[in-house]
Amino acid sequence: MKKHTLVVMFCLMAFMHAFNLNAEGTKEVMPNNTNGTGLIVSTIAAFPLGNVGNYLGCPTDKRIYFNIKDFTTESLYYAFHWNMLTISASTVPYTDVYMRIYDPSGTLVSLINLPTSGAGFINSYTEAVSGPNIGGLTPAGYAPLVFTPVQNGNYWIEMYRSNDGGITSIAGGQTMLSPWFDMTVAETNNTQYTGRVHCNLWAFSVYDPLTFLQSPSLSSQAPFYTYTADSVVAEVNFQIGFRPLAFIIGFNNYGYQNTGNWLNDRRSVNSTSLPPLTNGYNVFLNPPDPLLYPVSPVPLQPLLVNPIIAGCPPGPYSVRFIAPQPGDYYILLDLNNIPGYQFASTDRFFELINQPQGIISIAWDGLDGLGVPVPLNTAVPITFSFRKGRVNVPLYDVELNVNGINFSGIAPLSQPNSQLYWNDTLLSTIGGGACSSGTTTNNNTGIGYNNDIVGQASPGHAWNGDGNAGFLIPAPAVAGNDIDNIQCNDFGNARLINTWAWGIELYTTQTLTLACVNISGTVWDDADNSAAGSFINIRTNAETGTNAGGAIYASLIDPLTGTVMSTTVVNADGTYTLGGCPINAIGLQIVISTSPGVQGVLAPVGSVPPDWINTSPLNVVFNSALTDMTGFDFGIEKLPDSDPQTYTIANPALNSFLTLNGTGTSDSPAPLSGSDLEDGIMGANKIVIITQVPFNTELYYNGVLLSNNTTIVNYDPSLLQIKFTVAAILSTSFEYSFVDAAGKADASPAIYTIQWAWLLPTKLVSFTANRTQPSVVINWVTANETSDISFVIERSTDGRTFMPAGRLNGSVQSGNGQHSFTDITAIEATTCYYRLLMLSAGGARIYSNTVTIPFTAGSVATISPNPFIDHLSVKVKLAAANNVFIRLMDTKGTLVHQFKYFGNKGDNIFQLANLGFLPKSNYYLQVIWEDKIIVRKISNQ
């Protein structure tokens, strides 16, 4: 039945509640005078538990501490009754027991030979439970010894037998029991402070109060309390039928060992020796004094987010919630229509251990507890559980625990009779099944049961002669095992049986339906700015959809994480459809951008291509419904392009006027010009802004001198003149921007330049440029060309900053010249500007007019075949050697496959093989290099 060994180890968390208790000792651990529980110290080799108690030189875990808050008023009042720890011998009090007191720095401050009578000696159970008689105010109590501290903090004591005046312990060690004991922090006016005395590993024994002899037939009903690292207090106590004889009690949060893997360390195991069970929490005989051990704030339930589930049938999914505090969290998907979790059913259960405060997310593969995909439109009750104050109660070598363990949370919430959990499936028969009175390390009761999810309301986890399959209270005996005094047919023999609990368990439940809807809309060309920066004025059927040349994407954004849930390229007609939108979700967002979203990655920044502007916000926040939703429209508008112009004229007379209304030839400056995708040609009768007037000449309109940022309404080219007011200059220039019908001005003003012809004898007759995909061909004609002339072809993407694109020498013979240059490095997906710089050998120079090559989506990547079967060829022309990334995505924007290649300058062909596994569908292929992204729609159906 019962050996002399037992260890209880657990970690509890909860909040403080008020107790009106005096004394700390026998009154708490021995609630009645028939079942004795006394303090023990033993250092003899024959004692089954080894060295236990707060003996001389004991480790930190075994020290008994008392905490002083105000040393000017508080003292320790104490008394003991030490005699032999025995099951059959004499129990005469010892006269050679000493007690040492150490201050918080570890300095020995008191050495006392504990008396066997008078002050410091407890004569009866009544004296012990009445507490110290301070100043005669408690006549029924004991006469105390008093220790007066000189500083605040945790003091500790050691107790031992000595025959040399307390210098050393007696030879061979000691084994002793104090059937009655008390240590109370109090003031001289009898104000007593409970919850000040604690130890990590208390050592006790059960004894008969009539004889002071250890008794294996009596139960201990002592309650214990702990204060954990996250400031929670909880209580554990045992029931009648728990007969430990000698035992150690402590608290930890790791189980029977501490490898860092609690899911493993919490399981019960076979064990024929006592594990260390160190580094636990403080164990108190009363609830800890809240003035010294403040409790945590009252925690909140898990906070639900929206959407709770990200993902669409058949999965995978991400299940999310907000953890209000650090702790352990659990998720139950109650899929079998029976409340609570049932083993071997469709229910699915997830454990999230040691989670931080904040957003918690768990991946769910979409399968139920039987491994079957959960169907579309299934209503799923989800329970989120927050558990704080994890408790482990490992019981070593406890043959019988007939009525189980009782556990309650004390604070910050009172949760009596909390759930207990265990997993005894690692237990096995040991010793070959042999069982007799001499086989104390054998066990023939077999394995136990797993109750690590459902749990049992305490008191619970009772055992007797087997694992108690019905979890009954009391646990039934098996063939009289509880009275035959044979240990190997008792379930707890030669085993460490662990039970765990939490001081706080809070729950939040929500029922969700597994379904997704599609979200669609149109990006439209808002030529008249009807959106006006809002979503109030929505698109009408008369307004054309656009994708700005194929460079716009729509992405659906998770409101919880800010990451992309699905993404798609906007079609040529401006329409888009986004899948993967959870139903009844709040705060979803759609973002329009020039870069594609990547599922699971933070959302791209809202943006439109160069020379475009948004007329409504580039993101919209919305709540989804139960069906597909449409009408999420975004207005964008192409900005006008103002044409840079350069002209060469004869040297003008000082103070003469030149009307800028010529034919546009080299010596006949043309009117201001430009273009707009929506409005067409920009020129006469349009709005134009003179953003920068010339600094060395004057600019007039209708006879009025212009200043910077002058707006001309209903522009008339015949009224714009330049006056040459400075002598001996080489050129002059000003800047202008057209305004379109939407009221939007060209963001990159064009430069209008006039230069004097006498700089070079060679005259430029014409200068043109045309795109021939993917290159641009530039042609020019000269007159009076000299042999020392050279030509630099310059290119710009903004009409302001030009860079050389090529260079040619002039003809060897003087006369008229015809020249051509092909720019094979032309930039495809943007508007480009070209001009010609003519240089003489002597350093004279002159610029041509500027020509514009409009934006075009073009083609710098060729993809074939399309449709494809199992391979694709991608041809890419590179201006320089570079990495090329090719990404294959489905129509939801989910990445299907990704490739990386290194390409050389010029034409490259990359092969994408083994694509036959792809389902028949439409896909998008992205080809990415440098700052270019080319997207093509492809199909294998």
Side-chain angles (χ1 to χ4, degrees):
M1 223 169 77
K2 185 72 203 86
K3 271 192 242 181
H4 295 0
T5 56
L6 162 72
V7 173
V8 183
M9 200 71 175
F10 54 100
C11 166
L12 311 169
M13 300 181 167
F15 185 76
M16 187 85 241
H17 65 155
F19 284 82
N20 183 19
L21 294 175
N22 298 314
E24 298 215 59
T26 296
K27 181 170 184 177
E28 287 71 41
V29 302
M30 190 173 167
N32 62 69
N33 63 358
T34 59
N35 287 45
T37 298
L39 195 65
I40 64 173
V41 171
S42 179
T43 57
I44 61 172
F47 192 68
L49 291 178
N51 293 348
V52 300
N54 58 319
Y55 51 86
L56 181 63
C58 67
T60 302
D61 285 311
K62 298 179 181 180
R63 296 171 179 170
I64 296 178
Y65 289 87
F66 61 93
N67 200 333
I68 299 297
K69 182 177 183 293
D70 184 358
F71 72 90
T72 64
T73 60
E74 298 171 359
S75 298
L76 178 69
Y77 296 80
Y78 62 94
F80 299 90
H81 183 130
W82 287 106
N83 48 244
M84 180 179 292
L85 174 65
T86 178
I87 200 167
S88 60
S90 169
T91 58
V92 177
Y94 286 130
T95 61
D96 57 356
V97 177
Y98 286 80
M99 172 173 153
R100 292 187 176 196
I101 301 179
Y102 297 86
D103 70 14
S105 69
T107 301
L108 177 63
V109 292
S110 182
L111 175 63
I112 309 102
N113 180 197
L114 294 173
T116 57
S117 63
F121 185 79
I122 301 178
N123 292 286
S124 67
Y125 177 76
T126 299
E127 284 188 357
V129 299
S130 297
N133 183 14
I134 302 174
L137 298 176
T138 311
Y142 66 86
L145 289 175
V146 182
F147 167 74
T148 302
V150 295
Q151 62 177 302
N152 295 332
N154 267 314
Y155 292 74
W156 79 84
I157 64 174
E158 296 173 345
M159 287 178 284
Y160 56 99
R161 294 180 63 199
S162 174
N163 55 18
D164 58 6
I167 299 175
T168 63
S169 293
I170 61 174
Q174 66 262 304
T175 175
M176 56 186 188
L177 165 73
S178 184
W180 303 312
F181 69 100
D182 186 74
M183 292 165 283
T184 298
V185 175
E187 299 182 11
T188 57
N189 63 3
N190 203 30
T191 300
Q192 300 182 16
Y193 301 97
T194 57
R196 297 288 191 89
V197 178
H198 61 85
C199 179
N200 286 13
L201 293 171
W202 289 95
F204 295 100
S205 180
V206 178
Y207 68 93
D208 184 343
L210 297 178
T211 64
F212 290 170
L213 298 179
Q214 291 180 285
S215 175
S217 63
L218 295 177
S219 301
S220 176
Q221 296 175 265
F224 298 95
Y225 305 85
T226 194
Y227 181 77
T228 63
D230 50 0
S231 306
V232 182
V233 180
E235 175 188 1
V236 67
N237 60 66
F238 300 96
Q239 311 300 297
I240 294 176
F242 175 74
R243 294 178 287 180
L245 193 58
F247 68 102
I248 298 171
I249 188 107
F251 297 78
N252 76 46
N253 69 344
Y254 52 78
Y256 81 93
Q257 62 177 349
N258 193 6
T259 68
N261 181 2
W262 179 64
L263 297 181
N264 178 69
D265 296 345
R266 70 190 186 182
R267 304 181 72 178
S268 302
V269 294
N270 293 331
S271 179
T272 57
S273 62
L274 172 64
L277 300 174
T278 56
N279 298 317
Y281 291 116
N282 294 338
V283 181
F284 294 80
L285 305 182
N286 284 301
D289 185 342
L291 297 177
L292 289 173
Y293 307 97
V295 296
S296 72
V298 176
L300 301 173
Q301 295 172 312
L303 304 177
L304 298 185
V305 299
N306 201 304
I308 296 174
I309 293 182
C312 298
Y317 304 95
S318 177
V319 184
R320 302 91 58 83
F321 63 96
I322 297 178
Q325 287 188 15
D328 298 334
Y329 288 84
Y330 291 75
I331 298 176
L332 169 62
L333 306 179
D334 203 350
L335 295 167
N336 67 349
N337 296 318
I338 301 174
Y341 179 82
Q342 284 76 43
F343 283 97
S345 73
T346 56
D347 289 345
R348 192 75 184 271
F349 191 78
F350 301 93
E351 292 188 86
L352 304 170
I353 305 303
N354 293 326
Q355 296 299 304
Q357 181 180 3
I359 297 173
I360 305 296
S361 178
I362 186 170
W364 175 35
D365 55 14
L367 305 180
D368 65 17
L370 300 178
V372 178
V374 179
L376 175 71
N377 294 322
T378 298
V380 181
I382 303 180
T383 297
F384 300 93
S385 173
F386 167 44
R387 302 178 181 184
K388 183 176 182 178
R390 188 195 308 159
V391 175
N392 287 278
V393 187
L395 303 181
Y396 169 65
D397 202 34
V398 182
E399 281 78 12
L400 305 180
N401 185 24
V402 176
N403 287 298
I405 304 166
N406 193 71
F407 175 80
S408 297
I410 301 301
L413 295 176
S414 175
Q415 294 193 327
N417 304 110
S418 299
Q419 292 291 112
L420 299 173
Y421 304 86
W422 63 90
N423 186 335
D424 295 342
T425 56
L426 288 183
L427 300 177
S428 62
T429 296
I430 55 176
C435 190
S436 67
S437 60
T439 53
T440 59
T441 59
N442 291 1
N443 193 304
N444 71 349
T445 62
I447 65 171
Y449 301 93
N450 185 3
N451 197 19
D452 61 3
I453 295 178
V454 177
Q456 181 181 18
S458 61
H461 200 190
W463 61 83
N464 197 330
D466 60 15
N468 189 8
F471 306 151
L472 301 177
I473 304 290
V478 178
N481 71 293
D482 57 346
I483 58 175
D484 63 9
N485 291 321
I486 296 176
Q487 299 167 14
C488 48
N489 62 7
D490 298 330
F491 186 73
N493 183 64
R495 292 172 168 177
L496 189 145
I497 299 179
N498 185 47
T499 311
W500 67 89
W502 284 268
I504 298 172
E505 292 192 42
L506 300 174
Y507 298 89
T508 299
T509 300
Q510 179 77 36
T511 298
L512 297 179
T513 301
L514 294 182
C516 284
V517 294
N518 292 324
I519 305 298
S520 61
T522 302
V523 180
W524 49 283
D525 192 341
D526 188 9
D528 59 357
N529 192 33
S530 61
S534 73
F535 292 107
I536 297 176
N537 300 309
I538 63 173
R539 169 179 173 261
T540 65
N541 291 332
E543 293 172 305
T544 304
T546 182
N547 66 353
I552 298 183
Y553 301 82
S555 299
L556 180 65
I557 310 304
D558 186 337
L560 178 62
T561 63
T563 58
V564 175
M565 304 177 76
S566 64
T567 188
T568 186
V569 64
V570 176
N571 299 318
D573 63 357
T575 60
Y576 68 89
T577 299
L578 289 164
C581 180
I583 63 172
N584 290 331
I586 297 173
L588 295 164
Q589 186 178 169
I590 299 172
V591 172
I592 299 298
S593 64
T594 54
S595 58
V598 178
Q599 193 170 27
V601 177
L602 288 175
V605 177
S607 58
V608 293
D611 298 330
W612 288 75
I613 193 170
N614 56 298
T615 60
S616 66
L618 290 173
N619 59 75
V620 62
V621 177
F622 69 99
N623 302 332
S624 64
L626 291 171
T627 58
D628 292 348
M629 302 175 68
T630 191
F632 295 97
D633 301 336
F634 296 86
I636 65 173
E637 199 265 335
K638 178 71 168 64
L639 293 175
D641 288 320
S642 306
D643 296 332
Q645 302 185 56
T646 302
Y647 298 97
T648 304
I649 64 173
N651 191 16
L654 188 63
N655 293 320
S656 64
F657 284 86
L658 175 65
T659 301
L660 304 181
N661 191 23
T663 61
T665 57
S666 179
D667 58 355
S668 182
L672 308 183
S673 64
S675 62
D676 183 72
L677 180 66
E678 300 87 4
D679 298 352
I681 299 299
M682 306 297 288
N685 303 318
K686 301 294 184 179
I687 300 174
V688 65
I689 302 173
I690 305 300
T691 58
Q692 177 68 57
V693 297
F695 70 92
N696 55 4
T697 56
E698 294 177 348
L699 191 65
Y700 289 82
Y701 184 78
N702 197 21
V704 177
L705 180 65
L706 301 181
S707 58
N708 289 342
N709 298 312
T710 299
T711 298
I712 300 174
V713 180
N714 196 20
Y715 162 62
D716 182 347
S718 66
L719 299 179
L720 186 63
Q721 294 180 304
I722 192 165
K723 180 180 181 181
F724 302 101
T725 56
V726 179
I729 60 174
L730 302 178
S731 65
T732 188
S733 64
F734 62 92
E735 299 179 18
Y736 67 98
S737 293
F738 275 101
V739 179
D740 62 16
K744 307 298 182 181
D746 184 356
S748 300
I751 301 176
Y752 194 110
T753 302
I754 299 175
Q755 54 194 358
W756 311 163
W758 55 263
L759 293 172
L760 288 174
T762 302
K763 306 301 181 186
L764 184 65
V765 176
S766 65
F767 178 72
T768 59
N770 295 284
R771 187 182 292 278
T772 58
Q773 301 287 8
S775 304
V776 173
V777 178
I778 298 101
N779 296 291
W780 66 96
V781 176
T782 63
N784 301 322
E785 185 173 318
T786 59
S787 59
D788 67 342
I789 197 72
S790 60
F791 306 97
V792 178
I793 301 92
E794 295 185 343
R795 183 181 64 215
S796 172
T797 57
D798 60 6
R800 301 172 61 83
T801 303
F802 285 83
M803 299 295 291
R807 185 183 182 105
L808 292 178
N809 292 325
S811 303
V812 296
Q813 296 180 347
S814 300
N816 297 334
Q818 293 186 351
H819 303 275
S820 181
F821 173 80
T822 301
D823 183 8
I824 62 173
T825 65
I827 301 172
E828 179 186 20
T830 189
T831 297
C832 290
Y833 304 89
Y834 287 88
R835 69 185 183 185
L836 187 68
L837 171 61
M838 299 189 299
L839 297 167
S840 70
R845 60 175 55 205
I846 196 167
Y847 282 100
S848 72
N849 58 303
T850 301
V851 294
T852 303
I853 301 299
F855 166 87
T856 176
S859 176
V860 295
T862 303
I863 300 169
S864 64
N866 189 15
F868 67 95
I869 298 176
D870 63 354
H871 77 281
L872 284 166
S873 294
V874 180
K875 181 179 180 181
V876 180
K877 180 186 288 291
L878 300 178
N882 216 317
N883 288 322
V884 177
F885 300 89
I886 300 177
R887 304 171 74 242
L888 186 64
M889 299 184 298
D890 63 19
T891 54
K892 294 181 180 180
T894 303
L895 182 65
V896 176
H897 217 325
Q898 182 166 274
F899 309 85
K900 179 181 178 181
Y901 301 95
F902 181 79
N904 298 311
K905 180 179 180 180
D907 289 333
N908 296 265
I909 298 179
F910 305 116
Q911 299 291 341
L912 282 60
N914 302 318
L915 302 178
F917 72 94
L918 294 173
K920 301 296 183 182
S921 182
N922 293 320
Y923 296 90
Y924 290 101
L925 194 71
Q926 292 182 346
V927 185
I928 306 168
W929 74 98
E930 294 180 337
D931 59 348
K932 300 178 178 64
I933 300 178
I934 303 299
V935 180
R936 297 290 184 267
K937 186 176 182 180
I938 59 175
S939 174
N940 63 351
Q941 59 185 356

